[in-house]
């Protein structure tokens, strides 16, 4: 993705913090589909590979506890970099130098067909759209949101193989360590860990939302339903399953009882005579890295907007069908036609290119961008929408410069952009800060409910009229700009606190 949700550096203060205290993340085995970084350059090359992108990496990067030879964070991820093999030993291990200190890292390598089936077919053309079904008929209502493609038997077997390989890699580790598995790409891994007798506590965190059971079931055929049940059963292998919001916890509980015969109890479910704790741990951001980046220069791309003295509306995200980009562009067009005067700058980063579920999305976005451009030009106002990866410093600079940060996720686990924007603007006087618009079904809207007058305005992203009205209001600052109250709330649950709370609860659950 763009660096939209990335946060590449941590401060010296972060590096000198002591692990294992109440507010500090404990050392754990992190099991994630993505490696901490992919090696894009050969060993010995002048070029330095940057840490990877994405919401998951942004959240986990600041929680690394330096490896001291015996203990510290140990990360297991898939090897997707062209030069990975040059950097690792014959078991895939290496020590990666990070801004938090050394990270012990193991890379698992898969053949291309296994990876296509696991990543492109099952994880991202089936589970990803399925997990975002938070309301009826998204494919019909949007015209571009893909229906989940039920996996073929061969593709499902590849998904299982990859999940087994991750579980096996954790089981092979010496000692007893908490194992923290991340996200929908590895939903079966907790179950495989349990079946194979993993000795430490098993935690799972779902970064995406969890869908409404009836909506999901209505959309799926027989094999899709079977795969969905396996997903739920896979997570139930954990001792603690964490979700972004309380709403996700409730939806999962309904699915676990209906699909897997689990019994709901206070704080979780009972299955196979075991309690599985279920709770919300809304993800946080690396606030220090946003603050550091916010000290940088105004991006050059804003120069052509500067002379206009117009309010700046910014849209930044991965170019994903869950982000509601076409609807937002339609609302921008409507606002221009309605006489609102503003400059719009949108940057959507290419993501998951070649994955079947994404085919066709770019054409829809381009058509909506063309419409909005026409409306802007008729009004003599500046409009730019580009598809590109921009670096972290520029992302933060744009968030800081914005008068309106305009997000529109149709469904989203959290959506880190509003959190980043609140921190990016925190050094400005309150009356100069932006208003943030968010899709009403993004995790950030429910987790920060009650902050509507503090600069975080939820809107139904499929209601173009409401989206356009919200934009016009936001330009005036009328709903209330980003307040110190919102900034403090984001600061209080930063990525380190999030991880510390999850890992502390995992200890307690066992
Ligand atoms: O939950 C969202 C997520 O899948 C994260 O795991 C990841 O950081 C991000 O989206 C980017 O996805 P990918 O790894 O497919 O590029």
């Amino acid at each position: 993705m763009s660096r939209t949700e990335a946060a590449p550096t941590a401060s010296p203060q972060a590096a000198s913090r002591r692990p294992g205290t109440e507010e500090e993340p404990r050392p754990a085995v992190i099991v994630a589909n993505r490696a901490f970084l992919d090696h894009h350059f050969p060993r010995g090359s002048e070029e330095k590979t940057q840490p990877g992108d994405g919401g998951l990496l942004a959240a986990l990067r600041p929680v690394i506890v330096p490896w001291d030879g015996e203990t510290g964070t140990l990360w297991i991820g898939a090897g997707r970099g062209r030069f990975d093999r040059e950097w690792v030993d014959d078991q895939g291990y290496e020590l990666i130098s990070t801004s938090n200190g050394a990270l012990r890292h193991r890379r698992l390598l898969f053949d291309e067909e296994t990876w296509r089936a696991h990543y492109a077919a099952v994880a991202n053309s089936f589970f990803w759209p399925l997990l975002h079904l938070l309301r009826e008929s998204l494919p019909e209502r949007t015209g571009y949101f893909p229906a989940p493609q039920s996996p073929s038997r061969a593709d499902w077997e590849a998904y299982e193989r990859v999940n087994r390989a991750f579980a096996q890699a954790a089981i092979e580790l010496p000692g007893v360590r908490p194992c923290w598995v991340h996200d929908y790409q590895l939903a079966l891994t907790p179950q495989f860990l349990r079946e194979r007798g993993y000795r430490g506590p098993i935690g799972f965190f779902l970064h995406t939302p969890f869908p409404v059971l009836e909506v999901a079931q209505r959309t799926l055929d027989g094999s899709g339903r079977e795969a969905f049940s396996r997903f739920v059963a896979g997570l139930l292998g954990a001792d603690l399953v964490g979700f972004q919001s309380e709403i996700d916890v409730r939806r999962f509980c309904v699915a676990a009882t209906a699909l897997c015969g689990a019994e709901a109890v206070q704080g979780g479910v009972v299955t196979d005579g075991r309690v599985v704790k279920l709770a919300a741990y809304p993800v946080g951001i690396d606030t220090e890295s946003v603050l550091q980046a916010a000290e940088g220069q105004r991006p050059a791309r804003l120069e052509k907007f500067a002379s206009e003295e117009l309010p700046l509306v910014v849209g930044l995200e991965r170019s994903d069908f869950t982000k509601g980009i076409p609807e937002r562009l339609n609302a921008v067009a409507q606002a221009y036609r309605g006489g609102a005067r503003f400059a719009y700058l949108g940057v959507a980063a290419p993501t998951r290119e070649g994955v079947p579920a994404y085919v066709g999305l770019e054409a829809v976005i381009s058509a909506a961008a063309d419409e909005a451009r026409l409306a802007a030009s008729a009004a003599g106002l500046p409009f730019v929408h580009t598809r590109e990866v921009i670096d972290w410093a520029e992302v933060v600079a744009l968030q800081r410069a914005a008068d309106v940060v305009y997000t529109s996720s149709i469904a989203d686990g959290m959506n880190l952009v509003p959190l980043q924007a609140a921190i990016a603007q925190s050094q400005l006087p309150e009356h100069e800060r932006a208003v943030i618009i968010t899709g009403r079904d993004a995790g950030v809207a429910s987790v920060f409910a009650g902050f509507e007058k503090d600069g975080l305005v939820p809107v139904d992203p499929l209601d173009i009229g409401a989206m356009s009205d919200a934009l016009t209001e936001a330009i005036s600052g009328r709903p209330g700009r980003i307040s110190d109250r919102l900034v403090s709330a984001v600061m209080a649950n930063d990525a380190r606190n999030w991880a510390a709370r999850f890992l502390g609860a995992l200890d307690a659950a066992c």
Side-chain angles (χ1 to χ4, degrees):
M1 77 174 260
S2 73
R3 312 294 298 228
T4 311
E5 296 195 339
T9 54
S11 70
Q13 298 93 293
S16 66
R17 281 172 170 158
R18 236 167 19 89
T21 59
E22 241 173 51
E23 327 73 41
E24 298 295 326
R26 294 153 161 75
V29 180
I30 289 179
V31 178
N33 197 53
R34 283 256 164 203
F36 178 79
L37 54 76
D38 298 327
H39 289 294
H40 297 306
F41 304 105
R43 250 195 132 121
S45 131
E46 292 287 286
E47 302 255 28
K48 282 272 244 173
T49 301
Q50 294 302 312
D53 293 325
L56 180 147
L57 287 166
L60 286 176
R61 200 173 289 118
V63 310
I64 290 166
V65 181
W67 181 257
D68 66 5
E70 269 179 34
T71 183
T73 302
L74 207 151
W75 187 302
I76 303 172
R80 300 302 303 157
R82 184 165 161 219
F83 295 99
D84 282 349
R85 281 174 203 270
E86 289 188 20
W87 291 81
V88 298
D89 68 14
D90 54 5
Q91 285 198 295
Y93 279 105
E94 71 193 293
L95 217 50
I96 297 178
S97 154
T98 80
S99 46
N100 277 29
L103 170 66
R104 177 118 165 105
H105 192 281
R106 181 163 184 201
R107 232 166 257 282
L108 306 180
L109 301 167
F110 300 98
D111 63 80
E112 282 310 309
E113 175 49 23
T114 298
W115 190 257
R116 181 208 59 76
H118 161 76
Y119 178 82
V122 182
N124 287 311
S125 293
F126 177 67
F127 283 132
W128 179 263
L130 171 64
L131 291 164
H132 288 83
L133 291 177
L134 303 187
R135 59 202 278 183
E136 287 294 348
S137 324
L138 280 177
E140 291 90 71
R141 287 193 68 170
T142 62
Y144 63 81
F145 193 105
Q149 291 303 301
S150 294
S152 69
R153 179 180 284 268
D155 288 351
W156 181 257
E157 285 169 1
Y159 182 77
E160 280 188 337
R161 248 187 342 269
V162 170
N163 275 254
R164 276 213 177 82
F166 274 94
Q168 186 56 32
I171 282 163
E172 284 165 11
L173 296 170
V176 179
R177 304 159 196 269
C179 183
W180 192 9
V181 184
H182 289 266
D183 231 356
Y184 63 98
Q185 302 95 338
L186 300 180
L188 308 184
T189 301
Q191 186 184 0
F192 292 150
L193 283 166
R194 183 157 305 279
E195 286 171 2
R196 291 177 184 202
Y198 186 76
R199 290 185 300 276
I202 304 168
F204 181 94
F205 185 78
L206 186 67
H207 291 253
T208 69
F210 193 84
V212 178
L213 179 64
E214 302 89 74
V215 177
Q217 293 289 70
R218 258 199 291 283
T219 316
L220 298 174
D221 60 15
S223 66
R225 286 178 185 202
E226 172 62 21
F228 185 36
S229 299
R230 292 288 314 276
F231 182 99
V232 175
L235 267 56
L236 290 175
D239 296 295
L240 168 66
V241 184
F243 298 87
Q244 297 278 19
S245 75
E246 295 292 346
I247 306 176
D248 296 314
V249 175
R250 288 199 289 276
R251 289 180 188 136
F252 180 80
C253 202
V254 169
T257 48
L259 303 178
C260 302
E263 183 200 339
V265 292
Q266 180 71 25
V269 291
V270 173
T271 182
D272 290 337
R274 242 173 1 95
V275 176
V276 181
K277 288 203 71 182
L278 308 174
Y281 298 92
V283 74
I285 58 164
D286 184 352
T287 50
E288 291 173 40
S289 111
V290 179
L291 287 171
Q292 277 178 5
E295 287 162 12
Q297 297 293 309
R298 189 177 160 88
R301 75 175 73 218
L302 285 182
E303 290 322 313
K304 67 195 259 207
F305 290 86
S307 57
E308 310 277 347
E309 298 269 324
L310 288 164
L312 175 65
V313 179
V314 164
L316 300 166
E317 62 261 300
R318 285 190 304 114
S319 195
D320 199 290
F321 50 81
T322 58
K323 302 289 183 185
I325 300 171
E327 287 75 11
R328 181 166 75 234
L329 291 168
N330 291 339
V332 164
Q334 186 161 320
Y336 279 133
R337 287 192 206 106
R341 297 193 56 79
F342 61 95
Y344 181 85
L345 175 61
V347 183
T351 188
R352 299 181 187 158
E353 289 170 288
V355 169
Y358 289 73
V359 170
L361 174 64
E362 285 318 315
V364 178
I365 292 177
S366 288
D370 287 348
E371 275 292 303
R373 194 172 296 109
L374 271 179
S377 123
L381 293 166
F383 170 92
V384 173
H385 173 87
T386 68
R387 173 179 158 80
E388 65 183 300
V389 174
I390 57 175
D391 70 22
W392 172 241
E394 189 167 5
V395 167
V396 176
L398 291 173
Q399 290 171 340
R400 188 175 191 276
D403 296 290
V404 179
V405 175
Y406 200 5
T407 71
S408 48
S409 291
I410 297 171
D412 215 326
M414 174 58 66
N415 192 0
L416 301 184
V417 172
L419 309 185
Q420 292 164 349
I423 300 302
Q425 297 231 343
S426 61
Q427 304 302 307
L428 301 172
E430 263 194 55
H431 69 274
E432 284 180 22
R433 293 185 195 158
V435 177
I436 304 166
I437 297 175
T438 174
R440 62 155 211 205
D441 290 327
V444 69
S446 70
V447 170
F448 288 85
F451 286 83
E452 296 78 9
K453 296 203 165 89
D454 292 89
L456 187 64
V457 180
V459 185
D460 179 353
L462 298 184
D463 182 341
I464 307 302
M467 283 285 286
S468 168
D469 291 349
L471 173 58
T472 312
E473 284 279 292
I475 287 166
S476 71
R478 270 197 294 278
R481 299 176 189 277
I482 295 167
S483 70
D484 287 344
R485 180 170 169 258
L486 177 61
V487 172
S488 306
V490 175
M491 290 273 189
N493 182 45
D494 69 358
R496 296 177 65 83
N497 283 329
W498 163 72
R501 285 193 302 114
F502 184 91
L503 290 170
L506 180 56
D507 260 7
C510 299

